[in-house]
Amino acid sequence: MKFLLRCKPDTKKPPTGKKVAIIGAGPAGLGAAGILLCNGHEVHIYDALPEPGGLLMFGIPPFRIPRENVREGIRELVDAGAKFFTSTFVYCGEKPHEHEALLLAKDYVSLEELVGKYDAVIITTGTWKSRSLGVPGENLPGVYKALDYLFRIYAHQLGYLPKEKVYPTGRKVLVVGAGLTAVDAALEAREQGAEKIVVAYRRTINEAPAGRKTIETELIAKGIEFRELINPVAFLGRDRVERVRFVKMRLGPPDKSGRPAPEPIPGSEFEEEFDTVLIAAGEIATPPGKCLGIEFNPDGTIKVNEKMMTTRRGVFAAGDVVTGPSLIGKALGSGMRAAQFVDEFLR
């Protein structure tokens, strides 16, 4: 994430007198900032977290994305004139009461206010909300969302969250899912001292979103068990999770995603003891809320036109809040493209 500024300081275009607000300091927002600064615009970036970087700092292990590389790229933006408003939650419509990012937010500002103050706004708030499985016992202590589990560990490591806010890792850990978040959660559970870690996936390793090679080299080769074709149907326990009830699965015809659809095998249920469950069933878009006539797609992502403008003139959106969960490079590129359309709009 170094070299976010897409020009040399002496090749920046002269100031345009235009001001742009970016909501979200993750890959898409940072990528947009680098383009806008080079084109001479004043850029203010708002983020609910206490340090810019989004998931690059607070959700992805530092062995994948070195934190100092992210900080170096952010320093480039600051030196070029970017102004960051951290620990500032931007909301749209009703002020939020429950949101993952509220844990470290201190200030609140409405999107309506920002739209009135800036010549253009780009929403790049990503996908911070984790999907639930919707099975009994999911609210038991010891059952956590994998992204929230990672977020609290890294926020503590960075000095922003006290140790008591970090979820404890038990001895026997189940991770549900097979994407990169599931892989990272399993590896982190091992770092936190778990003795047994099982990653359960309802399809096979060939359909794993993280990829077969990643599962084999980062999990199986390191002694973490990967089990195919099983799915939890209940989390059981009195005061906290103690056991998980599974059902065995088989693959049927392809679903809308084009992958074989998993189907439960009747009468195949079994139980196993676990004291921690980390659910990594995917994330969904987390826009600031509903206001200003901004429309959404059925999956909750923000609707944009071919120039990445929302249904509110002058308000653009980019990154995972538009596409759904994606890789860092795709989100970064989306933010850069949106910035080019914003520059065109301002001129």
Side-chain angles (χ1 to χ4, degrees):
M1 289 301 294
K2 294 189 288 185
F3 313 118
L4 288 166
L5 192 68
R6 310 306 291 185
C7 59
K8 294 181 179 179
D10 57 351
T11 61
K12 280 179 60 180
K13 292 182 180 178
T16 63
K18 302 292 186 180
K19 291 169 56 177
V20 181
I22 298 174
I23 317 304
L30 297 175
I35 295 291
L36 291 167
L37 289 164
C38 287
N39 282 296
H41 306 302
E42 186 175 345
V43 177
H44 294 178
I45 306 164
Y46 294 80
D47 197 276
L49 299 176
E51 182 175 349
L55 285 177
L56 300 173
M57 295 293 289
F58 291 88
I60 296 175
F63 73 82
R64 292 198 193 282
I65 305 289
R67 290 169 181 162
E68 189 49 42
N69 286 0
V70 180
R71 286 173 170 154
E72 188 175 334
I74 289 163
R75 282 195 291 270
E76 287 180 349
L77 299 179
V78 172
D79 291 344
K83 186 172 182 180
F84 286 90
F85 296 86
T86 54
S87 296
T88 302
F89 191 99
V90 176
Y91 65 94
C92 187
E94 196 173 324
K95 191 173 180 180
H97 300 290
E98 293 184 9
H99 195 289
E100 284 85 344
L102 293 180
L103 195 60
L104 298 176
K106 295 179 180 177
D107 299 313
Y108 298 83
V109 62
S110 72
L111 183 62
E112 294 98 326
E113 179 184 339
L114 296 183
V115 168
K117 286 173 55 177
Y118 291 88
D119 298 292
V121 172
I122 309 178
I123 300 171
T124 58
T125 48
T127 52
W128 279 87
K129 187 174 179 62
S130 299
R131 295 184 186 277
S132 296
L133 296 177
V135 303
E138 199 165 356
N139 293 324
L140 275 173
V143 181
Y144 311 118
K145 299 295 193 298
L147 182 59
D148 193 21
Y149 171 80
L150 294 171
F151 170 77
R152 289 169 183 259
I153 290 172
Y154 301 145
H156 172 67
Q157 290 176 354
L158 292 165
Y160 299 117
L161 200 65
K163 180 66 174 177
E164 58 267 23
K165 294 288 186 180
V166 176
Y167 293 137
T169 303
R171 293 173 51 247
K172 300 178 180 179
V173 178
L174 171 70
V175 181
V176 183
L180 281 177
T181 300
V183 172
D184 292 344
L187 294 172
E188 192 59 54
R190 190 182 63 169
E191 287 293 313
Q192 297 295 318
E195 297 173 8
K196 173 184 177 180
I197 304 166
V198 174
V199 177
Y201 186 45
R202 59 185 184 150
R203 291 185 171 94
T204 77
I205 193 171
N206 296 316
E207 290 82 40
R212 184 186 186 107
K213 183 179 179 181
T214 297
I215 299 294
E216 290 178 338
T217 59
E218 296 194 16
L219 296 184
I220 298 172
K222 296 177 181 178
I224 294 172
E225 189 175 352
F226 183 81
R227 294 192 198 167
E228 305 173 308
L229 296 170
I230 62 169
N231 204 40
V233 292
F235 303 114
L236 309 169
R238 298 185 67 179
D239 299 321
R240 61 173 291 114
V241 65
E242 299 170 0
R243 303 182 318 284
V244 178
R245 182 178 297 146
F246 295 94
V247 65
K248 294 180 181 179
M249 309 292 285
R250 60 189 170 207
L251 296 182
D255 57 17
K256 292 180 181 178
S257 70
R259 296 179 298 172
E263 302 170 347
I265 299 174
S268 65
E269 292 187 0
F270 66 97
E271 294 182 8
E272 190 168 336
E273 290 186 0
F274 289 97
D275 54 26
T276 305
V277 176
L278 305 175
I279 298 173
E283 287 76 44
I284 58 178
T286 46
K290 294 185 178 180
C291 67
L292 298 171
I294 295 172
E295 296 180 6
F296 298 84
N297 297 308
D299 63 356
T301 55
I302 296 177
K303 183 182 292 186
V304 296
N305 63 16
E306 67 279 359
K307 295 193 173 182
M308 303 182 77
M309 190 186 294
T310 70
T311 46
R312 169 73 181 222
R313 180 173 168 78
V315 178
F316 297 75
D320 290 5
V321 78
V322 171
T323 64
S326 68
L327 298 176
I328 292 168
K330 185 175 179 181
L332 181 69
S334 175
M336 293 168 64
R337 287 194 303 278
Q340 291 165 346
F341 289 125
V342 170
D343 178 62
E344 178 185 308
F345 169 77
L346 294 176
R347 294 179 185 280

